[in-house]
Amino acid sequence: AFCLLALTTGARVETLHALREYDFDFRTRTVNLKDFKNNSTYKGFLTDKAVEAVRQQIKANKSDVVFASGMSTIQRKISAHLEQFNKKIKANDRKNRVVLHTLRHTFASHLAINGTPIYTIQKLMNHKDISMTLRYAKLAPDSGKDMVLDLISIVMIRCK
């Protein structure tokens, strides 16, 4: 459930760990996220699978706390699974190691790859500064290609 929420919302580890049942609106499939880094709140959107996983998690805990385990326990358990991606990577290679925060980058990367406008990605990531989001712009396929083709079509019609 933790990884699914990370991949669905792009939220940071601390944000996910702080979630309570009242943060979720299952009817609209949204979640209110507290960004501790920027001291702000923002909205995340949930898939049907994420809604079901959260409901099961809350039911299993028998409380409004979504993730009852401590943050270090959650990180340790998930990191053990992520280590399969790091088998051939040196321990001090921080750039290429897969860690829990990688799920946040994966969320943003897939948005960019699927053509999501950069300002929408900024909003979904709750980045205060667009420069943080621009690192994902290079992943956008054929950035501007459709706009140029549309422009050419318009010019050709007017020139007739």
Side-chain angles (χ1 to χ4, degrees), residues 142-157:
D142 301 324
S143 294
K145 179 181 177 183
D146 292 340
M147 285 74 173
V148 170
L149 294 176
D150 288 346
L151 176 65
I152 291 171
S153 297
I154 291 168
V155 169
M156 295 301 287
I157 290 170

Side-chain angles (χ1 to χ4, degrees), residues 4-154:
L4 186 56
L5 277 175
L7 288 168
T8 303
T9 65
R12 292 182 178 89
V13 174
E14 301 81 9
T15 298
L16 295 172
H17 187 260
L19 289 172
R20 302 292 181 261
E21 184 176 12
Y22 56 77
D23 291 317
F24 293 87
D25 184 338
F26 296 122
R27 185 182 51 79
T28 61
R29 295 182 355 181
T30 58
V31 57
N32 292 318
L33 301 165
K34 170 70 173 154
D35 187 336
F36 294 97
K37 182 177 179 181
N38 294 321
N39 193 29
S40 61
T41 58
Y42 64 108
K43 204 164 280 300
F45 303 96
L46 304 170
T47 62
D48 290 336
K49 285 185 179 185
V51 167
E52 184 57 33
V54 170
R55 283 186 166 149
Q56 288 178 6
Q57 191 72 26
I58 291 168
K59 187 178 178 181
N61 290 339
K62 299 178 181 158
S63 74
D64 75 330
V65 176
V66 180
F67 300 105
S69 299
M71 199 160 44
S72 60
T73 302
I74 291 170
Q75 286 182 308
R76 188 174 57 253
K77 286 180 178 179
I78 295 172
S79 293
H81 293 286
L82 296 177
E83 278 307 308
Q84 66 184 318
F85 298 103
N86 297 323
K87 288 180 181 175
K88 295 183 179 183
I89 297 174
K90 294 179 182 175
N92 63 351
D93 184 354
R94 292 178 45 131
K95 182 179 179 186
N96 295 306
R97 290 190 69 71
V98 176
V99 296
L100 199 47
H101 193 75
T102 305
L103 300 175
R104 179 171 165 81
H105 293 295
T106 301
F107 170 77
S109 296
H110 281 273
L111 288 171
I113 289 166
N114 287 306
T116 304
I118 200 71
Y119 287 108
T120 302
I121 296 172
Q122 178 188 16
K123 180 180 176 187
L124 293 170
M125 296 290 288
N126 202 45
H127 284 155
K128 290 237 185 243
D129 188 338
I130 192 67
S131 65
M132 292 299 293
T133 315
L134 285 174
R135 69 176 108 181
Y136 302 104
K138 66 181 178 262
L139 300 173
D142 301 324
S143 294
K145 179 181 177 183
D146 292 340
M147 285 74 173
V148 170
L149 294 176
D150 288 346
L151 176 65
I152 291 171
S153 297
I154 291 168

